[in-house]
Amino acid sequence: SNRHARALSVSLEKNNVDTKLCLEADVPSGQAIIFLEKGGENSIIIIGGANNSWPDKLPTKLVTAIQSAATVLLQQEIPDRINLAVAKCAKETKVPVMMDVGGEERELSDELLSSVSLVSLNETELARLTGGMKTDTKGQCIDAAKLLLEKGCKEILVTLGKDGAILISPKGQIEQEVLEVDKEKIVDTTGAGDCFRGAFAVARAEGKDDKAALRFAAAAASLCIQVKGAQPSMPTREAILDVAGLKASSI
């Protein structure tokens, strides 16, 4: 009777997403109600639903998949206890874990921070996680990110909207400018951050250097904001490579 679950499964499979590890719960699927504003900005109400209904322990088949993955991407619409369990599981076999702070607004424990390889967040989320540190400028964002590095995380990826993104680590910083899009072509920013972080994770998993990974992610996000809807706006690899000016063999 859960038509949202059926629609989601069909959409994922249509786009060649492997759903064999998906779990089922006797509750409605999670939903996001999106309020789209003039100019493409948005506000979102999240209804957790099945996303909050995880078993007490990670299923064996999921543990096997995690520990053999190229990378693992977590986010805040999944319970903290599951994120921590997955991060620890991945760490046992040295699988990189990227923590996306987007989604439900809540704190990250020091234990989780020290269990992931990279934390990705925007300037507002960075201010929240650092106790209200200023994040109005790139310099302030770098200073705030260093506080998270001190808690055990190896890298911080800060997305800055129209000002691009910065990858911060003990080795220094790498900046990525946005790939410009004509203002009249920007129709919906919903999912742009998810798109950027997902594309970055893919590029990293494929062994690309930081600059190439950041450019690939920026190209993906620039395409995303030109299409309405969270799922329909996710671009294809071919489109991203074309916009990024990268050859298929290079990413």
Side-chain angles (χ1 to χ4, degrees):
S1 61
N2 190 347
R3 61 187 179 87
H4 294 294
R6 291 198 300 273
L8 181 57
S9 295
V10 168
S11 177
L12 291 172
E13 289 163 8
K14 184 179 177 181
N15 287 281
N16 300 315
V17 176
D18 188 344
T19 60
K20 289 196 294 289
L21 290 173
C22 287
L23 305 176
E24 294 185 2
D26 191 23
V27 295
S29 294
Q31 296 181 56
I33 300 172
I34 301 167
F35 298 91
L36 185 59
E37 301 168 12
K38 189 175 180 180
E41 295 300 316
N42 65 80
S43 298
I44 303 175
I45 296 175
I46 296 171
I47 303 170
N51 288 330
N52 293 327
S53 299
W54 283 75
D56 293 335
K57 294 180 65 176
L58 297 178
T60 301
K61 63 179 182 178
L62 185 56
V63 170
T64 300
I66 291 167
Q67 296 192 329
S68 60
T71 193
V72 173
L73 177 58
L74 302 174
Q75 48 95 313
Q76 293 282 71
E77 291 171 35
I78 300 298
D80 284 336
R81 66 180 181 84
I82 298 300
N83 280 334
L84 181 58
V86 171
K88 287 183 172 182
C89 178
K91 193 173 183 179
E92 288 178 4
T93 52
K94 299 183 179 179
V95 172
V97 178
M98 182 172 168
M99 182 72 222
D100 182 350
V101 178
E104 184 179 331
E105 291 188 8
R106 61 185 188 230
E107 299 302 312
L108 291 185
S109 67
D110 290 351
E111 185 178 17
L112 181 55
L113 275 173
S114 63
S115 299
V116 302
S117 314
L118 182 149
V119 171
S120 180
L121 67 185
N122 61 31
E123 61 267 56
T124 302
E125 293 158 348
L126 178 59
R128 189 179 78 244
L129 290 188
T130 53
M133 287 185 70
K134 288 187 176 296
T135 56
D136 299 324
T137 67
K138 288 183 179 180
Q140 290 173 343
C141 285
I142 291 170
D143 288 340
K146 287 178 179 177
L147 179 61
L148 297 184
L149 292 176
E150 290 173 2
K151 294 186 177 183
C153 186
K154 298 179 180 65
E155 295 177 292
I156 309 294
L157 177 59
V158 185
T159 52
L160 302 168
K162 62 181 178 59
D163 293 320
I166 314 175
L167 179 64
I168 304 158
S169 73
K171 297 182 293 184
Q173 302 91 43
I174 300 176
E175 296 188 22
Q176 171 63 51
E177 296 181 350
V178 297
L179 302 188
E180 292 295 335
V181 175
D182 292 340
K183 190 173 182 180
E184 61 271 16
K185 291 184 178 180
I186 301 174
V187 297
D188 190 354
T189 60
T190 307
D194 301 306
C195 182
F196 182 97
R197 293 157 186 169
F200 181 82
V202 167
R204 269 287 188 85
E206 294 177 345
K208 304 310 170 188
D209 64 52
D210 293 338
K211 289 185 177 180
L214 286 168
R215 185 166 181 82
F216 186 75
S222 74
L223 290 167
C224 174
I225 61 177
Q226 298 181 59
V227 179
K228 282 189 177 181
Q231 281 193 36
S233 65
M234 296 298 114
T236 63
R237 174 187 291 268
E238 292 74 18
I240 297 170
L241 292 173
D242 183 54
V243 169
L246 298 166
K247 295 180 180 179
S249 60
S250 69
I251 192 83

